[in-house]
């Protein structure tokens, strides 16, 4: 029997190819392929490995795909048309555990950078400004951190907070009985009541899109610091700015944005982004929380391990 073939349409670490070969798959690496080219190219392949370059849906794969499995090199599944894939009996695996450690570390880095004024202080010293009192920071110790979504990355963040002497509360609408050594499970009302810091670790769905708006911020009893290493479309930038102005937010560290094509922002998005980038209590990074040299390989390990366990009719 011929080896099943896997079309890889996004840039991947080259360790993937030998891993696929070891489980009996033939890899066809096409990281520059366009969506139009994929429409005809995918016929005859049993596997498809993707990041987020293109949406995988009926319009792309058609009514009679030969694809049997899709490997999503990352955590989110928002670029996959899951009802269509289910209809066509296409199995989906993703590597959410592959970058969880990277995301957990980055979230801690964002929090420390914001609370200790590290980016601003760095720029000032480089410009011969030695402002100690103006950059006096706050400690994580003693603060209450609310983690929204207690999956792979939420758990990784909680674990890394364990040495800071803070109180970690977790809320997950779709999980229960998940309290552990690093986090106490609570209702969302408790996070609204107690949190000093809130970190988002939830997927982008119809339910979570623009979940975090000004009405959401107004539910907190104390001004909070917001961290978002999940999906940008969960948080309204305009409402982040409004919450800062109204005092519901003390600061925000955002690794993801509602529109990450900065040269294609709408007028309202541009206005909000420009307002936020002028503030020293707002930190941006370019969707790199899960983007480390180590996670590049770990994602491949997770994907190939899951693909190796699948059986096809």
């Amino acid at each position: 029997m011929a080896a099943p073939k896997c079309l890889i349409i996004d840039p991947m670490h080259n360790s993937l190819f030998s891993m696929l070969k070891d489980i009996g798959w033939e890899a066809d690496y096409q990281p520059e392929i366009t969506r139009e080219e994929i429409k005809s190219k995918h016929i005859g392949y049993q596997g498809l490995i993707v990041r987020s370059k293109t949406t995988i849906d009926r319009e792309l794969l058609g009514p009679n795909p030969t694809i049997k499995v899709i490997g999503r090199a990352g955590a989110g599944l928002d670029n996959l048309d899951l009802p269509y894939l289910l209809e066509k009996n296409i199995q989906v695996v993703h590597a959410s555990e592959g970058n969880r450690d990277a995301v957990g570390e980055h979230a801690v880095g964002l929090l420390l950078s914001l609370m200790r004024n590290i980016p601003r202080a760095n720029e000032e010293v480089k410009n011969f400004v030695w402002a100690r009192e103006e950059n006096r920071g706050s400690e994580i110790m003693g603060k209450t951190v609310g983690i929204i979504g207690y999956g792979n990355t939420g758990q990784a963040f909680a674990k890394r907070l364990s040495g800071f002497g803070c109180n970690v509360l977790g809320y997950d609408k779709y999980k229960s009985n998940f309290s552990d050594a690093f986090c106490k499970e609570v209702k969302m009302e408790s996070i609204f009541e107690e949190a000093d810091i809130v970190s988002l670790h939830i997927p982008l769905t119809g339910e979570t899109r623009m979940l975090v708006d000004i009405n959401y911020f107004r539910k907190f009893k104390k001004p909070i610091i917001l961290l978002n290493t999940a999906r940008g479309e969960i948080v309204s930038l305009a409402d982040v700015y409004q919450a800062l102005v109204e005092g519901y937010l003390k600061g925000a560290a955002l690794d993801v944005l509602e529109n990450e094509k900065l040269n294609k922002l709408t007028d309202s998005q541009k206005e909000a982004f420009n307002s936020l980038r002028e503030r020293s209590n707002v930190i941006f990074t370019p969707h790199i929380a899960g983007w480390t040299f180590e996670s590049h390989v770990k994602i491949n390990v997770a994907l190939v391990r899951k693909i190796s366990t699948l059986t096809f009719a």
Side-chain angles (χ1 to χ4, degrees):
M1 179 181 293
K5 296 193 298 182
C6 184
L7 177 62
I8 305 165
I9 65 170
D10 285 287
M12 297 289 294
H13 189 271
N14 59 17
S15 61
L16 178 63
F17 314 131
S18 60
M19 291 181 193
L20 285 171
K21 183 178 180 180
D22 287 344
I23 64 168
W25 282 73
E26 177 185 334
D28 185 1
Y29 188 46
Q30 300 283 340
E32 304 299 325
I33 194 171
T34 67
R35 181 175 175 85
E36 286 303 310
E37 290 169 337
I38 295 169
K39 288 180 181 179
S40 57
K41 178 73 172 178
H42 73 83
I43 301 299
Y45 290 83
Q46 290 73 47
L48 183 65
I49 291 182
V50 307
R51 286 191 183 275
S52 55
K53 177 170 69 178
T54 191
T55 299
I56 310 302
D57 56 12
R58 187 183 306 273
E59 196 269 340
L60 181 75
L61 298 184
N64 299 300
T66 59
I67 298 293
K68 300 296 183 184
V69 58
I70 292 177
R72 167 70 172 93
L77 299 176
D78 41 282
N79 65 317
L80 305 184
D81 183 346
L82 296 177
Y84 162 76
L85 298 177
L86 179 62
E87 173 195 327
K88 297 301 178 183
N89 296 314
I90 298 174
Q91 300 182 71
V92 174
V93 297
H94 63 126
S96 53
E97 66 269 51
N99 63 5
R100 63 186 172 190
D101 298 318
V103 173
E105 289 186 7
H106 194 78
V108 172
L110 289 175
L111 183 57
L112 287 169
S113 295
L114 195 59
M115 294 185 72
R116 301 304 301 271
N117 302 312
I118 293 171
R120 181 178 69 194
N122 172 62
E123 286 302 311
E124 288 177 352
V125 173
K126 286 182 176 180
N127 287 287
F128 299 92
V129 176
W130 194 263
R132 294 186 69 207
E133 183 58 36
E134 293 82 353
N135 284 298
R136 187 187 293 270
S138 297
E139 298 175 14
I140 300 175
M141 179 175 284
K143 304 299 188 297
T144 295
V145 182
I147 296 177
I148 314 301
Y150 206 62
N152 282 295
T153 63
Q155 291 171 44
F157 183 45
K159 185 175 182 179
R160 280 150 184 80
L161 288 172
S162 62
F164 282 91
C166 54
N167 177 35
V168 181
L169 306 178
Y171 170 74
D172 193 311
K173 184 175 180 178
Y174 299 101
K175 298 181 72 174
S176 59
N177 301 315
F178 60 78
S179 292
D180 56 25
F182 311 113
C183 177
K184 176 184 176 183
E185 178 187 358
V186 297
K187 301 293 186 182
M188 190 63 210
E189 288 72 20
S190 296
I191 292 179
F192 286 136
E193 185 75 28
E194 302 177 41
D196 300 294
I197 298 154
V198 172
S199 187
L200 303 176
H201 297 272
I202 51 180
L204 177 65
T205 66
E207 187 176 27
T208 63
R209 187 179 297 275
M210 292 297 154
L211 170 70
V212 180
D213 59 10
I214 190 60
N215 293 321
Y216 188 90
F217 290 123
R218 287 171 178 163
K219 293 179 182 179
F220 289 94
K221 301 302 181 184
K222 297 183 282 185
I224 62 164
I225 287 173
L226 175 71
L227 309 178
N228 188 10
T229 55
R231 284 291 184 267
E233 298 96 323
I234 295 169
V235 180
S236 164
L237 284 186
D239 287 13
V240 167
Y241 177 69
Q242 186 176 350
L244 287 164
V245 171
E246 293 185 10
Y248 293 99
L249 268 182
K250 294 174 68 174
L254 308 175
D255 180 57
V256 287
L257 300 178
E258 60 181 277
N259 184 354
E260 295 178 0
K261 297 178 181 178
L262 297 182
N263 60 341
K264 294 184 179 180
L265 298 176
T266 66
D267 289 343
S268 60
Q269 289 169 344
K270 187 178 298 184
E271 181 180 2
F273 180 71
N274 284 335
S275 297
L276 291 172
R277 70 189 183 92
E278 297 297 326
R279 300 182 70 103
S280 62
N281 59 346
V282 176
I283 295 174
F284 296 115
T285 52
H287 204 147
I288 56 171
W291 207 249
T292 63
F293 293 106
E294 293 82 0
S295 71
H296 212 183
V297 178
K298 289 179 182 179
I299 283 171
N300 291 347
V301 172
L303 279 181
V304 173
R305 176 176 54 80
K306 291 178 180 179
I307 290 171
S308 71
T309 66
L310 299 179
T311 57
F312 308 108

